[in-house]
Structure formats: C-alpha cells, structure tokens
Amino acid sequence: MSSAAQSAVETIQREMTVFARRARASAGRMHPELSLVSYTLLGHLEESGGCRATDLAAHYALDKSTVSRQVAALERAGLIERRPDPADHRVQVLDLTAAGREILAQVTRSRRAAFRDRLADWPEADLVRFASYLERYNAGPDGTDTD
Amino acid sequence: MSSAAQSAVETIQREMTVFARRARASAGRMHPELSLVSYTLLGHLEESGGCRATDLAAHYALDKSTVSRQVAALERAGLIERRPDPADHRVQVLDLTAAGREILAQVTRSRRAAFRDRLADWPEADLVRFASYLERYNAGPDGTDTD
DNA sequence: GACCTGAGTTGTACTGTGCAACCACACCGC
DNA sequence: GCGGTGTGGTTGCACAGTACAACTCAGGTC
C-alpha cells in the first residue's frame, strides 16, 4: 500500500471517530426526545419493514441484552410493537406503531434539514460519491466489523 | 437540492451512524487496554503536540467535566502528564509521556492493520477522495457541529 | 480593590453497554 | 415420541461515559 493510501487510511480512521463523537452530542441537543440509539433502531425498523431484536443486535454490533432493553423502552413508550412470529414461537417480530412512525418522521425531518445545511455547498457528484464510499465501507469486503 | 442529492444525504447520515456504533464495539475487542475515548484523546495530544483539556472538550463536543475525568484517569495510568502553563496559571498543558506514546503507537499499529485489511481492495484514488470528504465534512462550512 | 470571565474539579445522577445466568421454545438424531 | 443441543430473548449485575450544576482558583478590567 502506497504512503498516500496509508495516510488516507489514517485520516479516514481519525475523521470517522471525530464524527462519531460529535454525532452523539448533537443528537442530544437536536432531538432530546429520541436518543441516537432509539432513532437508529426505529430507522432500521422502518427501513427493513420490521425485524427481530437479534437482527438489530447483529447489524449494530450490540449485545442482545442491550437491544432487549432498548426495545422494551421503545415499546413502553408506544413507539414499537412486538408481534410473536406464528412460524417460530421464540421469535418476536418488531414493528413501528403509528406513533413511532410519526416521531421518527419528525426527527428525520429535523436531522435531514441539519445535514442538508451542512452539506449545502457540496456538489451533487461529491455527495453521491461520499455516500457510496460509506456504504461500501460498511458493507465491508466480507461483512467483517473491523471498525 | 435534487432528489439524488437528498437521498445521498440520507445515506451519509445512516451509514455514518452504523459506522459509529460498530466502531465502539470493535475498539473494545481490538484494544481493551485503551478505550476508544482514551485512544482518541491520546491521538489528539500526539497530533497537536500537547493542548489544554478545554481544547479537547471543544474538538470532540464533550463536557469539560468529562474530559477532566478522562484526563485524570490517563494521568493516573501514567500515559499523559500535566504541565502548568507558566504564562497562565489557570491552564494545564497536557502532553504524552513516553509510556503514553508507546501504547498509543502500539494501538495505532493494530488499528491501522485492521483498517488496511478492510480497505485493501480500494483503489488509492478512492481512499484519498474518501478521506478528503470526511475531512471536509468534519471541518464543516463554518465549524458547526451539525452531526 | 471589586467584579466578571475562563479553566478545571467534584458531586450527583442517569444512560448505554456487556457479560453471565437464565428461560422457553425449536430443531435434530435416534 | 424424546432427550440433547441450539437459538431468541430477558434479567441481574457491574461499570464506563456522560451531562449538568455548583464550586475554586487565577486573570483581566475598570
């Protein structure tokens, strides 16, 4: 690997971390009613059209107990509901309630606006490329959760 | 903003979050002796050649009390040292000790290797562009911590 | 000197998290 | 069928990271 590539790798590593740290802080300020974790989980449920707690844990590299508690809280808040899977009684399929969909949409709108502001002066081609790099990175060569 | 750009923005948002969640988990597995926070702070000290606790807090959008405790722990562990600033007695300049430099280098090596593996099949041009997008994003149009 | 500002610490409380132990059901080999 | 093994999920527990507020100490301003 060339030294230019090596230094790019270091930058990617470092900047990803800066991003992550700031994300948490600003999510708290931007939408205190829905933590970043909750927002992420709700978003995943919407995107996937309902899934199991185990799937969430695997996708976000979280312990199943953590997801279990988050899910319990979201259910108490009336944002998601659990349907027992008729095909497998061990499984609970999670899905958004109407209220969950509503609050998710609202938070998504505000986050989207903030991102749009921040990215306003980026050429569209760069945005598209940036997005595709991130997807490619997270998809990984083989799904490994390297970092 | 076009719809292609809009959807790119959503993807950026979503994938950044996935990255962040996984980063934390894999840092714990990869180098349990140095938490992701500690690693990040040490890295910043090395990069900046020593700075104040307040600077760290500002850069990572952390509360000063949080940084204060982290710094205290790192000092107890012998990884950093505080030098009172002779020019301003309120200020403590933080800097790495030899031990701190050593462990930082070691963890950096292992992280770098993991990233290199993950990014091994990326063309260099893409790596460089990806890195520059991240830097540009974090620098922000005006330094705002949008997310 | 009185006052305001900025750096840092400490008390307190809470959230997110992982690990380990556990329960309940499903699947598999016999 | 039936016992062993595996998988989805919950609960008990401990701990790290974090924020907020109240505080101390040092500087600068007038």
Side-chain angles (χ1 to χ4, degrees):
Chain A
M1 185 173 266
S2 80
S3 82
Q6 182 62 64
S7 117
V9 168
E10 314 257 287
T11 300
I12 289 167
Q13 200 182 169
R14 183 164 27 86
E15 297 299 320
M16 285 285 231
T17 307
V18 169
F19 166 83
R21 304 223 64 79
R22 292 184 182 166
R24 203 179 160 280
S26 74
R29 272 180 271 116
M30 199 167 14
H31 45 83
E33 74 282 9
L34 203 59
S35 78
L36 186 54
V37 191
S38 298
Y39 172 73
T40 305
L41 296 182
L42 290 185
H44 193 91
L45 286 181
E46 175 154 82
E47 193 191 350
S48 69
C51 68
R52 304 171 308 162
T54 301
D55 299 336
L56 294 175
H59 194 247
Y60 295 103
L62 290 169
D63 192 80
K64 57 186 180 164
S65 67
T66 300
V67 173
S68 173
R69 286 177 230 276
Q70 292 289 340
V71 161
L74 290 173
E75 190 190 25
R76 268 197 306 279
L79 304 183
I80 66 176
E81 60 191 2
R82 314 152 112 121
R83 291 181 288 103
D85 184 341
D88 183 341
H89 284 195
R90 294 171 305 179
V91 172
Q92 298 184 342
V93 179
L94 308 173
D95 215 344
L96 291 167
T97 61
R101 250 173 250 283
E102 176 51 40
I103 197 170
L104 175 62
Q106 175 190 324
V107 169
T108 299
R109 268 194 302 278
S110 96
R111 289 177 63 90
R112 190 189 290 162
F115 266 74
R116 217 173 27 219
D117 277 5
R118 179 164 199 117
L119 297 168
D121 61 345
W122 287 46
E124 174 171 320
D126 285 350
L127 286 175
V128 170
R129 238 185 337 231
F130 190 19
S132 81
Y133 287 156
L134 282 164
E135 278 182 316
R136 183 165 155 201
Y137 179 86
N138 282 335
D142 53 2
T144 319
D145 300 340
T146 299
D147 206 325
Chain B
M1 187 175 265
S2 78
S3 82
Q6 183 63 66
S7 116
V9 169
E10 314 257 289
T11 301
I12 290 167
Q13 199 180 172
R14 183 162 29 84
E15 298 297 323
M16 285 287 230
T17 306
V18 169
F19 166 83
R21 304 224 63 78
R22 292 182 181 168
R24 203 179 160 280
S26 73
R29 272 180 272 114
M30 198 166 18
H31 45 82
E33 74 282 9
L34 202 59
S35 78
L36 187 52
V37 192
S38 299
Y39 172 74
T40 305
L41 296 184
L42 291 185
H44 194 91
L45 286 182
E46 175 153 83
E47 194 190 350
S48 69
C51 69
R52 304 173 307 162
T54 302
D55 300 335
L56 294 175
H59 193 248
Y60 295 104
L62 290 169
D63 191 79
K64 57 186 179 163
S65 67
T66 300
V67 173
S68 174
R69 286 178 228 277
Q70 292 288 341
V71 161
L74 290 172
E75 191 190 24
R76 268 196 306 280
L79 305 183
I80 66 176
E81 60 190 4
R82 315 152 111 121
R83 290 181 289 104
D85 185 340
D88 184 340
H89 284 195
R90 294 170 305 181
V91 173
Q92 299 184 342
V93 179
L94 308 173
D95 214 343
L96 292 167
T97 60
R101 250 173 250 283
E102 176 51 39
I103 198 171
L104 175 62
Q106 175 190 324
V107 170
T108 298
R109 267 195 301 278
S110 97
R111 289 177 63 89
R112 189 189 291 162
F115 265 73
R116 217 172 29 216
D117 275 6
R118 180 168 199 114
L119 297 168
D121 61 345
W122 287 46
E124 173 172 320
D126 284 351
L127 286 175
V128 170
R129 232 177 352 226
F130 189 18
S132 81
Y133 286 156
L134 282 165
E135 279 183 314
R136 182 166 157 200
Y137 178 86
N138 282 335
D142 53 2
T144 320
D145 302 338
T146 299
D147 205 324

